Amino acid sequence: MNTHSYFGGHRPGGAVISQKERNKAKYHLILEAAVKVFAQQGFFQSTISQIAREAGVADGTIYLYFKNKDDILLQFFGYKTKQVFHSFREEVDKADSARDKLWNLIRRHLEEFQNDKNMAVVYQAEARSNSRLVERQLQEMSKMYLDITAEIIEQGQEEGQIRKDLYVSLVKRFILGAVDEVINTWVLSGGKYDLVSMAEPLVDLIFRGIGSGGAPEGQVLLQAGQTP
Amino acid sequence: MNTHSYFGGHRPGGAVISQKERNKAKYHLILEAAVKVFAQQGFFQSTISQIAREAGVADGTIYLYFKNKDDILLQFFGYKTKQVFHSFREEVDKADSARDKLWNLIRRHLEEFQNDKNMAVVYQAEARSNSRLVERQLQEMSKMYLDITAEIIEQGQEEGQIRKDLYVSLVKRFILGAVDEVINTWVLSGGKYDLVSMAEPLVDLIFRGIGSGGAPEGQVLLQAGQTP
Amino acid sequence: MNTHSYFGGHRPGGAVISQKERNKAKYHLILEAAVKVFAQQGFFQSTISQIAREAGVADGTIYLYFKNKDDILLQFFGYKTKQVFHSFREEVDKADSARDKLWNLIRRHLEEFQNDKNMAVVYQAEARSNSRLVERQLQEMSKMYLDITAEIIEQGQEEGQIRKDLYVSLVKRFILGAVDEVINTWVLSGGKYDLVSMAEPLVDLIFRGIGSGGAPEGQVLLQAGQTP
Amino acid sequence: MNTHSYFGGHRPGGAVISQKERNKAKYHLILEAAVKVFAQQGFFQSTISQIAREAGVADGTIYLYFKNKDDILLQFFGYKTKQVFHSFREEVDKADSARDKLWNLIRRHLEEFQNDKNMAVVYQAEARSNSRLVERQLQEMSKMYLDITAEIIEQGQEEGQIRKDLYVSLVKRFILGAVDEVINTWVLSGGKYDLVSMAEPLVDLIFRGIGSGGAPEGQVLLQAGQTP
DNA sequence: CATGAATGAGCCTTCATTCAT
DNA sequence: AATGAATGAAGGCTCATTCAT
């Protein structure tokens, strides 16, 4: 279920492959190939010919499934938006406490990216690229992520697990950024180590911070109590 | 002093502008123009002609100062590597405690990027782009940043301000990522609000985390003490 | 059968033109066009656009058949090397005596160049151009020619038709040069007269020289005998 | 007196170098440099900058002495036309018999080219280049050479040294071509051996031909008489 | 006269896209 | 639906030539 997992169509039964399914299969075939090529060379340095060769189809065939080159990237992000959204939401809903929800979110986040390195690379690379191309898709994805995070934070605050004096719009970015950078480092390292094992210490850091007993000012009493 | 600040040569006195200085001036002029164009359109979608027009020179002139298009981006990152390295190091050295050092680092980081939005945009956009072009420059910059951060963390651990049970190589990326994402958000927002004001809550988050009294397990006592 | 003779594929039967043949046809079409343009303007002053226009294809099409502009010239010489080699060798082998072989060689040489003036022009023009481009191809062609000539001379010496006191490496160049210059003159004249008719007097000159009875010294007796 | 010989101004006396002479000196300096560069790279692949660097002047300076790049080649050939014409004529006039005149012509020809290899290379390379650029100059040079040769032949015919049944317009080209090719071979060899030593065997070949006793047909008597 | 920075026209080459088969 | 040859617009880069100093 490695690099192909996210395009995988759970084709359940049917002995005969319908025309529609064959089309869908080729659509995904090309999309996968494109992502692989994009991952290796970046979007702008990839050519339609390379993608076609990788997919084992003719150049022209690509235009039967995609409007143009941009559309491939667009479709990729569009597809992922929905897919990842469901995956994250699903996982978050499995937990009850804010801490567990955050934990589930981050773990699933790392899992998804670890399971599809090409996707991870393309996401990391193109997400910040200031081509207006995929802007909207990315905003959606990002918003979804930040919304889930904000939800968790608010729930945690109600439940008392999370500080109430937080600048929520900062915190949610702080969390996304931390996770993102950890993924980025893993990608740049060539994906050699186990990314998911970073989940626990990450959540720990997010909750406890790096301070030995909280922030210095205004918490003297606490600190005193902490290290008797 | 906005977009031009980092290339700005405060040519102090001299009545006559020497040829050499004019050359240096034009070099920076083109570099600035290029960064501006890159910021608007991304590296690959920018053309030499656009850069030339922006700089107010002929296309061919660019090749008197840069080997080729790639070289412009390379020079940009090369220049920034050194410049930012000194700026950060300088600021960190001004403080004594680990917390103050981190605070200075982050504040300066945000200042530098706020003062030169084009640089910020290009940096955010191209830093993750998987073109092997600027890979080495970026690794250097990143390493420098992470090294400073690691230094601070270790000092803080010795001084007791920072937890000793930290996975340092994770923490430093966690910090960089958090700062980075905050900048990224600011960039994508169009740079409308004051980025530097994020420094304080960021440092607070990094030190204290988001937990209301630290991590849940094994800190029940603390939590009790915190909310009497 | 003029300018196109040497690329001409006498496609004999076949009702349908296969893709492969169409490709070969277009390859030759472009090569012919290129040679024509090169003949008119010289290699360096010819542009890809001119060649494309002459061939009736788009600029980009040329790059489907040739690696780059240099490659066109290279292919031209490579093609001719083989083709002319066979033609010359074939003709030489038809004769028995050294004199007849030389006669056949020179006649065929003049025929080939007369039948394809563009080729002749390009050959004359680029053969001496000191671009290292086609150096190797030309050396091959030249060597082939000189080798055939040397062979003939040696055979003639054995058979007693040719003087034995010759500096063979000079003679073969002397012959090539004489033929070459005659072609060159014809080319510069615009190819108006019949080049092949030069073959006989050329061979006569090569065999008899211009002297009225051989070299002056040591041949006084002969001269006396010659003009009674 | 090697590579610079042909531009050498025998500046006879005068202690002070006049402005005019300084100009002339620089003119020749540039011309020499250009010829050297042309010899190495060919006309079209040489740049003004390379010539300027070779001459030790600024690019712009070249335009004070030459109208444009073409003009440099033009001037080169123009200069040579006159210079070589005089040299050849002078040498031919020193001899009386047709054979000696031809001998002197060819020897001087080889000497001039051997003494200035760069000139030889450029001449060989550009003389045949079908750029209409130097066409006229070359025609002049060629005509001059052919005229001298024709003169010699006619004189020889009158004096009985040379056959009367010759196609003169062919013979003169035959001679030029043979000499030319010998020079060309020497140039391509890198100019390592003594070119002038080729003069004697060349003249011998031209007069006697390669036949062992003249042309086969109709010369049986001669042959008989020749080898008694 | 000399300089060399600046210019910009022009060329080679790439590659997304089309379309006849 | 699939192909891949053909297209031609676009862009990076070179270099002859100019001109202010």
Side-chain angles (χ1 to χ4, degrees):
Chain A
M1 99 98 145
N2 206 314
T3 59
H4 300 175
S5 63
Y6 61 96
F7 295 133
H10 322 268
R11 218 168 38 66
V16 186
I17 302 173
S18 74
Q19 184 63 33
K20 204 170 175 181
E21 282 191 71
R22 220 185 313 140
N23 287 353
K24 211 192 284 184
K26 193 157 280 187
Y27 171 86
H28 284 138
L29 179 68
I30 293 169
L31 207 41
E32 274 177 58
V35 173
K36 188 170 174 186
V37 174
F38 292 165
Q40 283 164 358
Q41 322 207 315
F43 177 75
F44 288 109
Q45 279 166 311
S46 301
T47 70
I48 293 290
S49 284
Q50 287 174 319
I51 295 167
R53 201 179 315 126
E54 180 70 36
V57 301
D59 291 21
T61 305
I62 290 179
Y63 290 85
L64 299 175
Y65 297 90
F66 300 89
K67 216 170 66 213
N68 51 38
K69 191 185 169 189
D70 290 359
D71 191 39
I72 302 176
L73 198 60
L74 226 55
Q75 297 276 343
F76 164 72
F77 277 109
Y79 187 89
K80 290 309 294 175
T81 302
K82 274 178 260 163
Q83 199 258 1
V84 160
F85 177 82
H86 282 114
S87 168
F88 287 0
R89 170 58 69 193
E90 195 177 64
E91 198 65 16
V92 165
D93 289 345
K94 281 184 187 163
D96 291 324
S97 73
R99 196 177 208 277
D100 287 348
K101 283 182 187 226
L102 191 64
W103 160 274
N104 279 6
L105 173 63
I106 290 176
R107 187 171 27 73
R108 173 54 62 98
H109 191 164
L110 298 179
E111 275 169 12
E112 292 270 12
F113 278 57
Q114 175 159 269
N115 283 339
D116 193 341
K117 207 170 85 179
N118 286 335
M119 180 270 277
V121 172
V122 174
Y123 185 84
Q124 292 292 329
E126 309 304 335
R128 313 256 172 134
S129 149
N130 44 355
S131 74
R132 295 290 95 90
L133 233 182
V134 288
E135 195 176 290
R136 222 163 57 91
Q137 315 272 13
L138 286 167
Q139 274 179 3
E140 254 179 74
M141 285 186 77
S142 183
K143 185 174 186 318
M144 170 211 70
Y145 197 92
L146 295 174
D147 283 353
I148 294 183
T149 311
E151 248 179 73
I152 296 173
I153 293 168
E154 278 155 19
Q155 182 191 326
Q157 287 178 323
E158 280 174 28
E159 293 171 354
Q161 277 182 311
I162 292 179
R163 292 162 48 194
K164 293 211 172 68
D165 63 339
L166 294 174
Y167 189 179
V168 177
S169 81
L170 176 66
V171 171
K172 60 190 188 187
R173 286 178 170 79
F174 160 92
I175 293 173
L176 174 56
V179 176
D180 219 52
E181 181 65 25
V182 169
I183 293 173
N184 194 39
T185 301
W186 174 80
V187 160
L188 293 179
S189 83
K192 281 172 192 140
Y193 54 88
D194 182 43
L195 180 58
V196 180
S197 68
M198 297 287 116
E200 202 201 317
L202 249 181
V203 174
D204 180 58
L205 275 174
I206 290 166
F207 264 83
R208 295 173 61 193
I210 62 174
S212 61
E217 309 110 82
Q219 295 193 314
V220 182
L221 291 178
L222 256 176
Q223 279 189 288
Q226 228 169 2
T227 53
Chain B
M1 95 100 149
N2 207 313
T3 59
H4 298 179
S5 63
Y6 60 97
F7 296 131
H10 320 266
R11 220 169 37 64
V16 184
I17 302 174
S18 75
Q19 185 61 36
K20 205 170 176 180
E21 279 190 76
R22 219 183 316 140
N23 285 352
K24 214 192 283 182
K26 193 154 281 190
Y27 171 86
H28 287 315
L29 177 70
I30 293 170
L31 207 40
E32 275 178 56
V35 172
K36 187 169 175 186
V37 174
F38 292 163
Q40 282 164 358
Q41 321 208 315
F43 176 75
F44 289 109
Q45 279 168 312
S46 301
T47 70
I48 292 290
S49 287
Q50 287 174 322
I51 296 168
R53 201 176 318 124
E54 180 68 38
V57 300
D59 290 21
T61 304
I62 290 180
Y63 291 88
L64 297 175
Y65 298 91
F66 300 90
K67 218 169 64 217
N68 50 38
K69 193 185 166 191
D70 289 0
D71 192 39
I72 302 176
L73 197 60
L74 227 54
Q75 298 274 344
F76 164 70
F77 277 110
Y79 186 87
K80 289 309 294 175
T81 301
K82 275 178 262 163
Q83 199 258 358
V84 161
F85 176 83
H86 282 114
S87 167
F88 287 1
R89 171 59 68 191
E90 195 178 65
E91 197 65 15
V92 166
D93 288 346
K94 281 184 187 160
D96 291 323
S97 74
R99 196 178 207 279
D100 287 349
K101 283 183 186 222
L102 190 65
W103 158 276
N104 280 4
L105 174 63
I106 290 175
R107 187 171 28 73
R108 173 56 62 98
H109 190 163
L110 298 179
E111 275 170 12
E112 292 269 12
F113 278 58
Q114 174 159 271
N115 283 338
D116 193 340
K117 206 171 84 179
N118 286 336
M119 181 269 276
V121 173
V122 174
Y123 185 83
Q124 292 292 328
E126 308 305 335
R128 311 260 172 131
S129 149
N130 46 354
S131 78
R132 294 291 93 92
L133 233 181
V134 288
E135 195 176 289
R136 224 163 58 91
Q137 316 269 16
L138 285 167
Q139 274 180 3
E140 253 179 76
M141 286 187 76
S142 183
K143 187 176 185 315
M144 169 211 72
Y145 198 91
L146 294 174
D147 284 353
I148 295 184
T149 312
E151 248 179 73
I152 296 174
I153 294 168
E154 279 154 18
Q155 181 190 327
Q157 288 177 321
E158 280 173 28
E159 292 173 353
Q161 278 183 310
I162 292 179
R163 291 164 49 195
K164 292 209 172 72
D165 63 337
L166 294 173
Y167 188 0
V168 178
S169 80
L170 177 65
V171 171
K172 60 191 188 187
R173 286 169 216 292
F174 160 93
I175 293 172
L176 174 57
V179 176
D180 220 52
E181 181 64 26
V182 168
I183 294 173
N184 195 38
T185 301
W186 173 81
V187 161
L188 293 179
S189 82
K192 284 176 190 136
Y193 53 90
D194 181 43
L195 180 58
V196 179
S197 69
M198 297 286 117
E200 200 199 321
L202 249 180
V203 174
D204 181 56
L205 274 174
I206 289 166
F207 264 83
R208 294 172 60 192
I210 64 174
S212 64
E217 309 110 77
Q219 296 193 316
V220 183
L221 292 177
L222 255 176
Q223 279 190 286
Q226 226 170 4
T227 54
Chain C
M1 98 98 142
N2 206 312
T3 60
H4 297 180
S5 63
Y6 61 97
F7 297 133
H10 321 267
R11 221 172 36 66
V16 186
I17 303 174
S18 75
Q19 184 62 37
K20 205 168 176 181
E21 280 191 74
R22 218 183 317 140
N23 286 352
K24 213 191 285 183
K26 192 155 281 186
Y27 171 86
H28 286 138
L29 177 70
I30 293 170
L31 206 41
E32 274 177 56
V35 172
K36 187 170 174 187
V37 175
F38 291 165
Q40 283 164 359
Q41 323 206 314
F43 176 75
F44 289 110
Q45 277 167 314
S46 302
T47 71
I48 292 291
S49 287
Q50 287 174 323
I51 296 168
R53 201 178 316 126
E54 180 68 37
V57 300
D59 291 20
T61 304
I62 289 179
Y63 291 87
L64 297 176
Y65 298 90
F66 300 89
K67 222 170 62 219
N68 50 38
K69 192 186 168 190
D70 289 0
D71 192 39
I72 302 176
L73 198 59
L74 227 53
Q75 298 274 343
F76 164 71
F77 278 109
Y79 186 89
K80 290 309 293 175
T81 300
K82 274 178 262 164
Q83 199 259 358
V84 160
F85 176 83
H86 283 114
S87 169
F88 286 1
R89 170 60 68 189
E90 196 177 63
E91 198 65 16
V92 166
D93 288 346
K94 280 184 188 162
D96 291 321
S97 74
R99 195 177 208 279
D100 287 349
K101 283 183 186 220
L102 190 65
W103 159 275
N104 279 6
L105 174 63
I106 289 176
R107 187 172 27 74
R108 173 56 61 97
H109 190 162
L110 298 179
E111 275 170 12
E112 293 269 11
F113 278 58
Q114 175 158 270
N115 284 338
D116 193 340
K117 206 171 86 179
N118 286 336
M119 181 270 277
V121 172
V122 174
Y123 185 83
Q124 293 292 330
E126 309 304 335
R128 312 258 171 132
S129 148
N130 45 357
S131 77
R132 294 292 93 92
L133 233 181
V134 288
E135 194 176 290
R136 223 162 59 91
Q137 315 269 17
L138 286 167
Q139 274 180 3
E140 254 178 75
M141 286 186 77
S142 183
K143 187 177 185 316
M144 170 211 70
Y145 198 91
L146 295 174
D147 283 352
I148 294 183
T149 311
E151 246 179 76
I152 295 173
I153 294 168
E154 279 155 19
Q155 182 192 326
Q157 289 177 322
E158 282 174 27
E159 294 172 352
Q161 278 184 311
I162 292 179
R163 291 162 50 194
K164 293 209 170 74
D165 64 336
L166 294 174
Y167 188 179
V168 177
S169 80
L170 175 67
V171 171
K172 61 191 189 187
R173 286 178 170 78
F174 160 92
I175 294 172
L176 174 56
V179 176
D180 220 52
E181 181 65 26
V182 168
I183 294 174
N184 194 38
T185 300
W186 174 79
V187 160
L188 293 179
S189 83
K192 284 175 190 137
Y193 53 90
D194 181 42
L195 181 56
V196 179
S197 67
M198 296 288 117
E200 201 201 318
L202 249 181
V203 173
D204 180 58
L205 275 174
I206 289 166
F207 264 83
R208 295 173 61 192
I210 63 173
S212 62
E217 308 110 83
Q219 295 193 318
V220 181
L221 292 177
L222 256 177
Q223 280 189 286
Q226 228 171 4
T227 54
Chain D
M1 99 96 149
N2 208 315
T3 59
H4 299 177
S5 62
Y6 61 95
F7 295 132
H10 322 267
R11 218 169 37 66
V16 185
I17 303 172
S18 74
Q19 184 62 32
K20 204 170 177 180
E21 280 192 73
R22 221 184 313 138
N23 288 354
K24 211 192 284 185
K26 193 158 280 190
Y27 171 85
H28 285 139
L29 179 70
I30 294 170
L31 207 40
E32 274 178 56
V35 172
K36 187 171 176 187
V37 174
F38 292 164
Q40 284 164 357
Q41 323 207 314
F43 176 74
F44 288 108
Q45 278 166 313
S46 301
T47 69
I48 292 290
S49 285
Q50 287 174 321
I51 295 168
R53 202 177 316 125
E54 181 70 37
V57 302
D59 290 20
T61 304
I62 289 180
Y63 289 86
L64 298 174
Y65 296 91
F66 299 89
K67 214 171 68 213
N68 51 36
K69 191 186 169 189
D70 289 358
D71 191 39
I72 302 176
L73 198 60
L74 228 53
Q75 298 276 343
F76 164 71
F77 277 110
Y79 186 89
K80 289 309 294 176
T81 300
K82 274 178 261 162
Q83 199 260 357
V84 161
F85 177 82
H86 283 113
S87 167
F88 287 0
R89 171 59 67 193
E90 194 177 66
E91 197 65 16
V92 166
D93 288 347
K94 281 184 189 163
D96 291 324
S97 74
R99 195 177 208 279
D100 286 348
K101 282 180 188 231
L102 189 65
W103 159 276
N104 277 7
L105 174 63
I106 290 177
R107 187 172 28 73
R108 173 54 63 96
H109 191 163
L110 298 180
E111 274 170 13
E112 292 270 12
F113 277 58
Q114 175 159 269
N115 283 339
D116 194 339
K117 207 171 85 180
N118 285 336
M119 181 269 276
V121 172
V122 173
Y123 185 83
Q124 293 292 329
E126 309 304 336
R128 313 258 172 132
S129 149
N130 45 355
S131 75
R132 294 290 97 89
L133 233 182
V134 287
E135 197 175 286
R136 224 163 56 92
Q137 316 271 15
L138 286 167
Q139 274 180 3
E140 253 179 75
M141 285 185 76
S142 183
K143 186 173 185 319
M144 168 210 72
Y145 197 93
L146 295 174
D147 283 353
I148 295 184
T149 311
E151 250 178 72
I152 295 174
I153 293 168
E154 279 155 17
Q155 181 191 326
Q157 288 177 322
E158 281 173 28
E159 293 171 355
Q161 277 182 312
I162 292 178
R163 290 163 48 195
K164 293 210 171 70
D165 63 337
L166 294 173
Y167 188 0
V168 177
S169 81
L170 176 66
V171 171
K172 61 191 187 186
R173 287 168 215 292
F174 160 92
I175 293 172
L176 175 56
V179 176
D180 219 50
E181 181 65 25
V182 169
I183 294 173
N184 195 37
T185 300
W186 174 79
V187 161
L188 293 179
S189 82
K192 283 175 191 136
Y193 53 89
D194 181 42
L195 180 57
V196 179
S197 68
M198 297 286 117
E200 199 200 321
L202 249 180
V203 174
D204 180 56
L205 275 174
I206 290 167
F207 264 83
R208 294 172 61 194
I210 63 174
S212 63
E217 309 110 79
Q219 296 193 314
V220 182
L221 292 178
L222 254 177
Q223 280 188 286
Q226 224 169 7
T227 54

